[in-house]
Amino acid sequence: MMFRKPARRFRASGDSIGASRSLHPVGSLILPCFAASLLAAHAADSYAPIKPFLERYCIDCHGETKQKGEVRLDDFDAIDGALWSTIYDQIHYRDMPPEDELQPSEAELASVATLVEKISRDDEFSIATGYRRLNRREYANTVRDLLGLKKGLYDPAARVFEEEIEHGFDTNAEKLVISNELLLEYLDSAERSLRTALFLDDLEKPLTEVRSYSAGKLSGGDRRYTTNKKKSTVLRGGGDYYANRKAGRVAVAGNYRVTISAAGVDRDNYGSLKLAPAEGPVKMGIGAVLDGAGREVVETFDLKDDEFESYEAVIWIEKGGYPSVSFLNGAGKPAASIRQAIRRRKLKPENNPKNYRGPGVEVAGFKVEGPLDPEWPPSTYRTIFRLEEMPDFEDPTVREKLLGNFLSRSFRRVAVEDDLKDYRDYLGRQYQRTGDWHEAFIKTYAAVMASHDFLYLKEEVGELPPFDLVSRLSYFLWSTMPDLKLLSLAHTGEIRRPDVFAAQVERMLKDRRSEQFVLGFATQWLSLDLLGEMAPGTKGPYSAYYKYRYEDSFRKETLHYFRHVLFENQPVGDFLDSNYAFINESLARAYDLPFEGGSEFQRVALPAGSVRGGLLGHGSILSLTSNGVETLPVTRGHWVLADLLGTPPPPAPAAVPALVPDLTGADTPRAQLIRHREDAACFECHKQMDPIGLALENFDVIGRYREKYEKSGPDIDPAGEMYELQFENVADLRKILRTREADFAKSLTAKLAEYAKGRTLNRRDLEIVNEVVESVGDDEYRFKSLLQRFLISELMLSR
């Protein structure tokens, strides 16, 4: 008997683990497993007949030693709602057991089908209690908001293990494993973040200072292409240049005004050999460097040739960071260009690259002023301690208030006496050890941020209580902790009022933090995080991918498109077919479209019959469904069915060999696939996938349109049939797909639900998905309307 798994993203599945009980700040770091299901305690009751049925008719093919379709049914307690739903469909439609296996009687089938349908809708049995660890990006955002850290060079999650989630969303509780090593990383990261936020060595207001550094002694950058003069430094290579690294570090985090006197120089030192920038101005960047974290260019300036001017930028620098200046558009490999010119006798041998004097940025002045108008207390202190003045740590009443406020914000609920007692005692012990209340609070708050109450979102089966609800909503739309408004509404219980909840949804969608929903959901739904994993070679027919930076433009195009459909409340069918696109000059070149803009993305109307409307015309999708060498029509067809429409074909039988592309060009993919379908085991699946994939063969490995496989190769035939409707090309195919807008809306809504809930959906969930989609059918399935309706549905309001 063989079942297949319900459709998810096309990545391999990972391990799973439950959550834990309370972790005391001085206790063991081991988190005991939390039971994923209550099924074991009840299996002998109303659902008892299911187990012997599975053992008799299913386990041979789906047991410990064999798992056809990657499905295992011998661990009764581990079967989730989605798989119970699939089991019901297979039994109900008599698809399983196979005809050549032992068959149950009609009475057995009917009886067990009724029970399986019931269990597939039963939250108590098909839904695990929700103990979900914050994923890495949620952790970083939450720490920033909890501590008031600015988003910049410092990344709170930089030292935390990165999840390797190869299938599904990074909100899936089963994939977010925990270990002692990971907890130690969280403890270390929490302390580093707190020291970055609570950065004062003494609790006195810092003074604004002005420092001027010797411009002739700048360090860093590419020393091969640096010229230090007596009073200036010429930056000719890449990298960041800075004043004395040790003396230049800032002791207080804040805004600093960096003033650089500079000019573009040496544009014509090599005669007819024009080194970058051959045209346009020399570009200089001013930014900051934080050792161990990276660098950031904050502002870019166009310099005048041989004419010094002062340029200034106000930049935020964390404690320990230092300002930097850089040459942004210099030659990547000037030495190679010079050697080649010498070999060709275009330059004299004395132009040795060791004495390179090509274009550069000459810096004649380097001044730093700050911190500018330092706030007191600093903003991070006000955020952490919730006070408008520096706290009196010696006052026990103040210490109690500081601790209670931080615990409530960290735990995203009201802290109770049991919480306070544990951490109050720990705070006292830390003070006894250090004799410094400031240090004791850093150590204690770090323990809070390594506790399961901070690291985990906890949801019981059933309707979510107010604090769990606002956390669910905030992590869905913002990928971070609830703000004070949401926590206040949870505290009073008003968030449960439909009008209040709907108003908060609208407020949150308008907030800039909703960009995290775009980056979190859209990137994973459309696998944009995988772009570049199978990139083409740097040389050959697809070198334009690198020359014109298509990968970055492909990703941005799809995200721009997603934002537009969502926030402009366009029909979700626009993902399937549309008469517009978002492009910049790079994509205009790749797509052969007229465009008068520059590097910024603009919405453009597409000509009638264009091949580019909707996601099927996006270079991101077309590159992801190629392997960097050849297009993959079967992969492309499968992607449309599984990821776009939510109707994946079953996995290929194990005995059938994979289809290997013919890289010699002697055979077309269409001819290969026709032969492949002659195998009866392949026919049913490939007759669905192949026509779609072959219609997309007009797009090459990097998404450019073509009519032949090679310049002199065979013509591409994109014609085919889908849903018993004939199409001649991809434009016709998109029109057919647009007629399935309702199916697509259901698939999209199911993905939204999985992302929000952190689990697979059961049969009852899918029924609610249908209800949500039907409710916006008269509104053309507009995306924002659909999302708002989803957010006020039972899908969002319950586990």
Coordinates of all heavy atoms in Angstrom, one line a residue, residues 150 196 199 206 250-258 288 314-320 368-375 378-380:
K150 N 19.6 49.3 16.9 CA 19.3 49.7 15.5 C 19.8 48.6 14.6 O 20.7 47.9 14.9 CB 20.0 51.0 15.2 CG 19.5 52.2 16.0 CD 20.3 53.5 15.5 CE 19.8 54.7 16.4 NZ 18.5 55.1 16.1
T196 N 26.2 45.3 23.9 CA 26.1 46.3 22.8 C 25.1 47.3 23.2 O 25.3 48.5 22.9 CB 25.7 45.5 21.5 OG1 26.7 44.6 21.2 CG2 25.6 46.5 20.4
F199 N 26.0 49.8 26.9 CA 27.4 50.0 26.5 C 28.2 50.9 27.4 O 29.4 51.0 27.2 CB 27.5 50.5 25.1 CG 26.7 51.8 24.8 CD1 27.2 53.0 25.2 CD2 25.4 51.7 24.3 CE1 26.5 54.2 25.0 CE2 24.7 52.8 24.1 CZ 25.2 54.1 24.4
P206 N 27.8 61.1 28.1 CA 29.0 61.3 27.3 C 29.0 62.7 26.7 O 28.0 63.3 26.4 CB 28.9 60.2 26.2 CG 27.5 59.9 26.1 CD 26.9 60.1 27.5
V250 N 35.0 53.9 18.5 CA 34.1 54.8 19.4 C 33.8 54.0 20.7 O 33.6 52.8 20.7 CB 32.8 55.2 18.6 CG1 33.1 55.9 17.3 CG2 31.9 54.0 18.4
A251 N 33.8 54.8 21.8 CA 33.6 54.2 23.1 C 32.1 54.2 23.4 O 31.7 53.5 24.3 CB 34.4 54.9 24.1
V252 N 31.4 55.0 22.7 CA 29.9 55.2 23.0 C 29.2 55.0 21.7 O 29.5 55.7 20.7 CB 29.6 56.6 23.6 CG1 28.1 56.8 23.9 CG2 30.4 56.7 25.0
A253 N 28.2 54.2 21.7 CA 27.3 54.0 20.5 C 26.5 55.3 20.3 O 26.1 55.9 21.2 CB 26.4 52.8 20.7
G254 N 26.4 55.7 19.0 CA 25.6 56.9 18.7 C 25.8 57.3 17.3 O 26.5 56.6 16.5
N255 N 25.3 58.4 16.9 CA 25.4 59.0 15.6 C 26.7 59.9 15.6 O 26.9 60.7 16.5 CB 24.2 59.9 15.3 CG 23.0 59.1 14.9 OD1 23.1 58.2 14.1 ND2 21.9 59.4 15.5
Y256 N 27.5 59.7 14.5 CA 28.7 60.4 14.4 C 28.8 61.1 13.0 O 28.3 60.5 12.0 CB 29.9 59.5 14.5 CG 30.2 59.0 16.0 CD1 29.4 58.0 16.5 CD2 31.1 59.6 16.8 CE1 29.6 57.6 17.8 CE2 31.3 59.2 18.1 CZ 30.5 58.2 18.6 OH 30.7 57.8 19.9
R257 N 29.3 62.3 13.0 CA 29.4 63.1 11.7 C 30.8 62.8 11.2 O 31.8 63.2 11.9 CB 29.2 64.5 11.9 CG 29.3 65.3 10.6 CD 29.0 66.8 10.8 NE 27.6 67.0 11.1 CZ 27.1 67.4 12.2 NH1 28.0 67.6 13.2 NH2 25.8 67.6 12.4
V258 N 30.9 62.2 10.1 CA 32.2 61.9 9.5 C 32.4 62.8 8.3 O 31.6 62.8 7.4 CB 32.3 60.4 9.0 CG1 33.7 60.1 8.4 CG2 32.0 59.5 10.2
A288 N 30.9 52.4 8.1 CA 31.5 52.0 9.3 C 31.9 50.5 9.3 O 31.3 49.8 8.5 CB 30.5 52.3 10.5
V314 N 26.3 61.5 8.4 CA 26.0 61.2 9.8 C 25.7 59.7 9.8 O 24.7 59.3 9.1 CB 24.9 62.0 10.3 CG1 24.5 61.6 11.7 CG2 25.2 63.5 10.3
I315 N 26.4 58.9 10.5 CA 26.2 57.5 10.5 C 26.2 57.0 12.0 O 26.7 57.6 12.9 CB 27.4 56.8 9.8 CG1 28.7 57.0 10.4 CG2 27.4 57.2 8.3 CD1 29.9 56.3 9.8
W316 N 25.4 55.9 12.2 CA 25.3 55.3 13.5 C 26.5 54.3 13.6 O 26.7 53.4 12.7 CB 24.0 54.5 13.6 CG 23.9 53.8 14.9 CD1 24.3 52.5 15.2 CD2 23.4 54.3 16.2 NE1 24.0 52.2 16.5 CE2 23.5 53.3 17.1 CE3 22.9 55.6 16.6 CZ2 23.1 53.5 18.5 CZ3 22.6 55.7 17.9 CH2 22.7 54.7 18.8
I317 N 27.2 54.4 14.7 CA 28.3 53.5 14.9 C 28.2 52.8 16.3 O 28.0 53.5 17.3 CB 29.7 54.2 14.9 CG1 29.8 55.0 13.6 CG2 30.8 53.2 15.0 CD1 31.1 55.7 13.4
E318 N 28.2 51.5 16.3 CA 28.1 50.8 17.6 C 29.4 50.9 18.4 O 30.5 51.2 17.8 CB 27.9 49.3 17.4 CG 26.6 49.0 16.6 CD 25.3 49.2 17.5 OE1 25.5 49.5 18.7 OE2 24.2 49.0 16.9
K319 N 29.3 50.7 19.7 CA 30.5 50.8 20.5 C 31.6 49.8 19.9 O 31.3 48.6 19.7 CB 30.2 50.4 21.9 CG 31.4 50.4 22.9 CD 31.0 50.0 24.3 CE 32.3 50.0 25.2 NZ 31.9 49.6 26.6
G320 N 32.8 50.2 19.8 CA 33.9 49.4 19.2 C 34.0 49.5 17.7 O 35.0 49.0 17.2
V368 N 36.1 63.2 12.6 CA 34.9 62.5 13.2 C 34.4 63.3 14.4 O 35.2 63.7 15.3 CB 35.3 61.1 13.6 CG1 34.1 60.4 14.2 CG2 35.9 60.3 12.5
E369 N 33.1 63.6 14.4 CA 32.5 64.3 15.5 C 31.4 63.5 16.1 O 30.5 63.0 15.4 CB 32.0 65.7 15.0 CG 31.3 66.5 16.1 CD 30.6 67.8 15.5 OE1 30.7 67.9 14.3 OE2 30.1 68.6 16.3
G370 N 31.4 63.4 17.4 CA 30.3 62.7 18.1 C 30.6 62.2 19.5 O 31.7 62.4 20.0
P371 N 29.7 61.5 20.1 CA 28.3 61.3 19.6 C 27.5 62.6 19.5 O 27.7 63.4 20.4 CB 27.7 60.3 20.6 CG 28.5 60.6 21.9 CD 29.8 60.9 21.5
L372 N 26.7 62.7 18.5 CA 26.0 64.0 18.2 C 24.8 64.0 19.2 O 23.9 63.1 19.2 CB 25.5 64.1 16.8 CG 26.6 64.0 15.7 CD1 26.0 64.0 14.3 CD2 27.7 65.1 15.9
D373 N 24.6 65.2 19.9 CA 23.5 65.4 20.8 C 23.1 64.1 21.5 O 22.0 63.6 21.3 CB 22.3 65.9 20.0 CG 22.6 67.2 19.2 OD1 23.3 68.0 19.8 OD2 22.2 67.3 18.1
P374 N 24.0 63.5 22.3 CA 23.7 62.2 22.9 C 22.5 62.3 23.8 O 22.4 63.2 24.6 CB 25.0 61.9 23.7 CG 25.7 63.2 23.9 CD 25.3 64.0 22.7
E375 N 21.6 61.3 23.6 CA 20.4 61.2 24.4 C 20.8 60.7 25.8 O 21.8 60.0 26.0 CB 19.5 60.2 23.8 CG 19.0 60.5 22.4 CD 18.2 59.4 21.8 OE1 18.7 58.3 21.6 OE2 17.0 59.6 21.5
P378 N 20.7 56.9 27.1 CA 20.7 56.5 25.7 C 19.4 55.7 25.4 O 18.8 55.1 26.2 CB 21.9 55.6 25.6 CG 22.8 56.1 26.7 CD 21.9 56.5 27.8
S379 N 19.0 55.7 24.1 CA 17.7 55.1 23.7 C 17.6 53.6 24.1 O 16.6 53.1 24.5 CB 17.5 55.2 22.2 OG 18.5 54.6 21.5
T380 N 18.8 52.9 24.0 CA 18.7 51.5 24.4 C 18.5 51.3 25.9 O 17.8 50.4 26.3 CB 20.1 50.8 24.0 OG1 21.2 51.6 24.5 CG2 20.2 50.6 22.5

